[in-house]
Amino acid sequence: GQNIDQPTEMTATEGAIVQINCTYQTSGFNGLFWYQQHAGEAPTFLSYNVLDGLEEKGRFSSFLSRSKGYSYLLLKELQMKDSASYLCAVRPYGQNFVFGPGTRLSVLP
Amino acid sequence: DTAVSQTPKYLVTQMGNDKSIKCEQNLGHDTMYWYKQDSKKFLKIMFSYNNKELIINETVPNRFSPKSPDKAHLNLHINSLELGDSAVYFCASSPAGLTYEQYFGPGTRLTVT
């Protein structure tokens, strides 16, 4: 089976940088995804990694290490609107998406 | 234009009733999904459909049944509702292929009393 772990909650200050980690156990997968979900809203896609390394997308970057079963989402120049839950998800071979429990990020002024 | 839409947004009903949630996507995607998000905010896939065929059926009670009249629609029927069915249900869609992200609908908050 698959097991995905993320910190439950994190707090950071406006303008700072925060790193949200995701660890997983799966024998193989087609890709690792990060989604953002504001309270009471639907998840929205942030980034995708299939190869090891860093993918940069504006203020958001995502890193993947397949050998270590590890990914992180890096958020720079934090804004108040970044307060949300961040969900890590994998798509194991031959299976459908599996989402992690999510990390609730609070950005303080 | 709304990409993935769901109706109703809120649904309050009593135990034992049968209800349906509708989902439509205008993105031309080949695959659609239903997810359940419980009170602990855990997002768990229930079904996925590719070109009107069920491709993966997760271990959900058979009281839940997806119905896809065409590629743009995937409705969720729930029979004999139970208290534990209370959750937010999200519909999603994605292009065919394994590397594409999903686009989620706004969600339907189901409350069973």
Side-chain angles (χ1 to χ4, degrees), chain B residues 50-98:
Chain B
N50 187 342
N51 287 329
K52 298 179 65 175
E53 292 186 18
L54 181 67
I55 56 174
I56 297 176
N57 187 350
E58 299 293 325
T59 54
V60 299
N62 57 15
R63 298 182 295 104
F64 292 80
S65 57
K67 296 280 194 308
S68 182
D70 55 59
K71 196 174 88 165
H73 296 85
L74 182 65
N75 303 325
L76 182 65
H77 297 271
I78 315 170
N79 295 325
S80 303
L81 278 156
E82 299 177 357
L83 291 176
D85 297 333
S86 295
V88 179
Y89 292 83
F90 287 102
C91 175
S93 71
S94 70
L98 303 172

Side-chain angles (χ1 to χ4, degrees), chain B:
Chain B
D1 288 343
T2 303
V4 183
S5 59
Q6 294 179 229
T7 54
K9 189 168 176 62
Y10 300 96
L11 182 55
V12 181
T13 188
Q14 292 183 329
M15 286 175 57
N17 285 348
D18 302 337
K19 290 294 178 184
S20 295
I21 306 172
K22 295 185 177 181
C23 177
E24 177 181 1
Q25 54 97 3
N26 61 7
L27 299 168
H29 288 167
D30 293 304
T31 308
M32 296 183 71
Y33 313 81
W34 275 106
Y35 285 86
K36 178 181 180 181
Q37 190 168 44
D38 57 28
S39 57
K40 295 183 179 179
K41 306 303 181 186
F42 212 116
L43 193 63
K44 187 170 182 180
I45 193 163
M46 300 177 71
F47 302 102
S48 62
Y49 254 77
N50 187 342
N51 287 329
K52 298 179 65 175
E53 292 186 18
L54 181 67
I55 56 174
I56 297 176
N57 187 350
E58 299 293 325
T59 54
V60 299
N62 57 15
R63 298 182 295 104
F64 292 80
S65 57
K67 296 280 194 308
S68 182
D70 55 59
K71 196 174 88 165
H73 296 85
L74 182 65
N75 303 325
L76 182 65
H77 297 271
I78 315 170
N79 295 325
S80 303
L81 278 156
E82 299 177 357
L83 291 176
D85 297 333
S86 295
V88 179
Y89 292 83
F90 287 102
C91 175
S93 71
S94 70
L98 303 172
T99 61
Y100 290 102
E101 71 272 19
Q102 297 169 84
Y103 295 78
F104 284 81
T108 296
R109 181 174 293 278
L110 171 65
T111 303
V112 182
T113 62

Side-chain angles (χ1 to χ4, degrees), chain A residues 85-96:
Chain A
S85 288
Y86 292 86
L87 310 174
C88 170
V90 296
R91 188 162 198 176
Y93 292 138
Q95 299 183 47
N96 225 317

Side-chain angles (χ1 to χ4, degrees), chain A residues 56-76:
Chain A
E56 298 190 75
K57 218 175 181 182
R59 294 190 298 115
F60 293 2
S61 304
S62 57
F63 172 83
L64 175 65
S65 169
R66 285 179 174 264
S67 60
K68 295 182 179 178
Y70 167 68
S71 173
Y72 67 73
L73 180 69
L74 194 70
L75 292 77
K76 304 175 186 175

Side-chain angles (χ1 to χ4, degrees), chain A residues 11-68:
Chain A
T11 303
T13 306
E14 199 174 10
I17 299 173
V18 71
Q19 178 174 311
I20 302 175
N21 296 328
C22 170
T23 58
Y24 59 88
Q25 293 88 41
T26 181
S27 55
F29 60 90
N30 293 300
L32 188 141
F33 298 78
W34 283 95
Y35 285 81
Q36 179 191 60
Q37 185 177 23
H38 284 100
E41 298 183 12
T44 55
F45 170 75
L46 285 178
S47 69
Y48 166 72
N49 294 73
V50 62
L51 300 175
D52 285 1
L54 189 69
E55 293 284 340
E56 298 190 75
K57 218 175 181 182
R59 294 190 298 115
F60 293 2
S61 304
S62 57
F63 172 83
L64 175 65
S65 169
R66 285 179 174 264
S67 60
K68 295 182 179 178

